[in-house]
Amino acid sequence: MSNVVRRASISSELAQKIIEAAATAALATDKRFGISVVDESGHLKAFLRQDGAKLITLQVSQDKAYTAAASQLSTEQWSENLKKDEVVGNGAPTGISRLVALGGGLPIVVDGEIVGAIGVSGGHWTDDVKIAEAGLSVLG
């Protein structure tokens, strides 16, 4: 038995490709976004704040990505969970640091393993989800 645990992690190259794909999709809208990619441990791997994106998109996009990586759930799923379960709904928002339960945070899955997550902020949460999904389109 090994005393070392190995985890798959997103490469810098893939993180940048995801950022670029999301940014390209964002340019087709009238909104500007903060786009963050974190590794499997929730640490920032790549980031873009588009010209014109609000300052708050820095923190929110990073926290959406962190939430998705740390929980291995989309932030949209977190929103649903908070609505469905009164105990989780009451405790999680104040008890879990960096939890963002607004759509726009998605796990990044490669070969069946979560290797990181993307977080997008800048529009309505439904816009953020679309831009995040566009970023993940590079995965095929």
Side-chain angles (χ1 to χ4, degrees):
M1 175 185 266
S2 174
N3 291 326
V4 176
V5 176
R6 300 192 191 281
R7 294 184 285 190
S9 185
I10 190 167
S11 69
S12 297
E13 180 183 359
L14 179 56
Q16 194 59 45
K17 286 179 183 177
I18 290 170
I19 292 281
E20 290 169 7
T24 298
L27 289 174
T29 74
D30 63 347
K31 297 173 180 63
R32 295 298 166 254
F33 298 85
I35 306 163
S36 298
V37 172
V38 299
D39 66 14
E40 84 295 342
S41 297
H43 297 287
L44 189 63
K45 194 76 174 192
F47 174 77
L48 172 67
R49 178 179 168 213
Q50 292 184 301
D51 293 340
K54 293 179 178 154
L55 179 60
I56 196 169
T57 66
L58 280 87
Q59 178 184 341
V60 175
S61 68
Q62 290 179 40
D63 286 352
K64 283 182 181 184
Y66 177 88
T67 298
S71 67
Q72 301 186 348
L73 295 171
S74 74
T75 53
E76 190 174 356
Q77 183 60 54
W78 260 104
S79 180
E80 292 299 317
N81 291 348
L82 294 176
K83 283 190 258 182
K84 289 184 205 173
D85 187 321
E86 184 178 352
V87 173
V88 173
N90 288 332
T94 58
I96 301 174
S97 179
R98 298 184 66 185
L99 174 67
V100 176
L102 304 168
L106 299 171
I108 299 169
V109 181
V110 176
D111 297 331
E113 292 188 71
I114 294 177
V115 298
I118 183 173
V120 176
S121 176
H124 184 271
W125 67 266
T126 55
D127 299 318
D128 297 348
V129 170
K130 289 175 189 170
I131 301 305
E133 288 172 341
L136 296 186
S137 70
V138 302
L139 300 176

